[in-house]
């Protein structure tokens, strides 16, 4: 079945460091790909998305490119801030009867130190 | 409402008891999803509604779990004979059928003692 695998955390970085969180997927068909973020004490929020191969999603300085050839959707940010500390979830969404079903990876916790 | 609302935010129950968890989706969203998130894990799909009907309930772990959405809006997740292993955060999300983005509620933290 469809699945998402992302790098284990926690990831600890200093402020202004470069961030990469790896994500690979397995899916039949052509899924849409997402990164969701969960800040401490808050619910899941959509961070960015890409709906087809070679699309780049971007938001708040984060980017991820839909790579069909490597079945990957790695999250990157050039300079992280303390406020980026959160859990990041990679997800894919596939078409099911009448709508879409979203499957999540296990999450990667990011700590950013001042 | 402005967002997806889940009640209660916290629920503590004794092993063997019955619980109901409620989800109020964003007004007009036809698709509604239930997920379960255990500590340190990503959300695990339970069930998906399109309107009033369950389009996909393949994620429900066993027949103690049941969910309804009788009028195509509010949904209730019901758990019978709760077990300690049911302890988790139960998340609800809703979306437009044509838009794949799901909006999540804050979740209900269920603790079975």
């Amino acid at each position: 079945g469809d699945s998402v695998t992302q790098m284990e955390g926690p990831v600890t970085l200093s402020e202004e460091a470069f961030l990469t969180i790896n994500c690979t997927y397995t899916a039949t068909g052509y899924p849409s790909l997402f990164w969701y973020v969960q800040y401490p004490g808050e619910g899941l929020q959509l961070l960015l998305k890409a709906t087809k191969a070679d699309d780049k999603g971007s938001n708040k300085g984060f980017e991820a490119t839909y790579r069909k050839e490597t079945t990957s959707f790695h999250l990157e940010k050039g300079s992280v801030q303390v406020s980026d500390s959160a859990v990041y979830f990679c997800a894919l969404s596939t078409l099911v009867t009448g709508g879409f079903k979203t499957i999540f990876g296990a999450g990667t916790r990011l700590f950013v130190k001042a | 409402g402005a967002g997806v609302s889940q009640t209660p935010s916290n629920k503590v129950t004794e092993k063997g008891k019955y619980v109901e968890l409620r989800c109020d989706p964003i007004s007009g969203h036809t698709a509604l999803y239930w997920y379960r998130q255990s500590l340190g894990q990503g959300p695990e799909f339970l069930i998906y509604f399109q309107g009033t009907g369950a389009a996909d309930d393949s994620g429900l772990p066993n027949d103690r779990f049941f969910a309804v959405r009788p009028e195509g809006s509010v949904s209730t997740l019901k758990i019978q004979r709760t077990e300690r292993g049911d302890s988790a955060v139960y998340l609800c999300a809703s979306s437009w059928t044509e838009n794949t983005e799901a909006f999540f509620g804050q979740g209900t933290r269920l603790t079975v003692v």
Side-chain angles (χ1 to χ4, degrees):
Chain A
D2 297 347
S3 65
V4 175
T5 303
Q6 60 183 107
M7 64 188 286
E8 287 189 25
V11 173
T12 302
L13 296 173
S14 297
E15 210 165 22
E16 299 183 4
F18 183 85
L19 168 72
T20 300
I21 300 178
N22 290 337
C23 171
T24 57
Y25 67 91
T26 302
T28 54
Y30 303 97
S32 294
L33 301 175
F34 305 83
W35 278 98
Y36 281 82
V37 59
Q38 190 170 32
Y39 297 105
E42 298 186 16
L44 277 166
Q45 303 172 27
L46 179 66
L47 179 61
L48 55 84
K49 68 178 181 181
T51 57
K52 61 183 187 298
D54 300 325
D55 269 3
K56 177 186 284 189
S58 60
N59 186 24
K60 300 181 180 180
F62 291 88
E63 293 183 340
T65 301
Y66 190 142
R67 300 287 187 201
K68 189 168 183 293
E69 64 277 11
T70 54
T71 61
S72 64
F73 193 56
H74 304 321
L75 182 68
E76 296 181 337
K77 186 174 186 182
S79 176
V80 294
Q81 305 301 311
V82 172
S83 58
D84 293 327
S85 298
V87 182
Y88 292 82
F89 294 93
C90 186
L92 66 82
S93 187
T94 55
L95 183 65
V96 296
T97 303
F100 295 88
K101 174 176 167 179
T102 303
I103 296 170
F104 290 84
T108 302
R109 184 175 295 277
L110 171 66
F111 291 105
V112 180
K113 303 179 298 184
Chain B
V4 178
S5 175
Q6 292 188 244
T7 54
S9 54
N10 278 285
K11 176 71 176 178
V12 180
T13 190
E14 292 181 349
K15 181 175 176 294
K17 299 290 188 183
Y18 168 83
V19 295
E20 290 189 353
L21 312 179
R22 177 187 167 106
C23 173
D24 280 88
I26 291 173
S27 179
H29 279 188
T30 56
L32 185 146
Y33 310 80
W34 283 99
Y35 288 83
R36 178 169 68 176
Q37 187 175 18
S38 301
L39 192 63
Q41 299 296 314
E44 172 194 4
F45 171 79
L46 296 178
I47 186 169
Y48 156 62
F49 286 90
Q50 180 56 244
T52 60
D56 184 344
D57 64 358
S58 61
L60 294 177
N62 51 60
D63 61 6
R64 296 187 296 105
F65 288 74
F66 190 70
V68 296
R69 196 186 185 199
E71 297 178 357
S73 178
V74 171
S75 177
T76 304
L77 178 66
K78 308 180 181 192
I79 310 174
Q80 298 176 323
R81 304 184 304 279
T82 51
E83 301 177 356
R84 293 197 178 87
D86 299 335
S87 298
V89 176
Y90 289 81
L91 298 170
C92 177
S94 70
S95 69
W96 296 106
T97 302
E98 298 79 14
N99 186 330
T100 60
E101 177 180 351
F103 293 85
F104 282 82
Q106 299 275 26
T108 294
R109 181 176 298 279
L110 175 66
T111 303
V112 182
V113 298

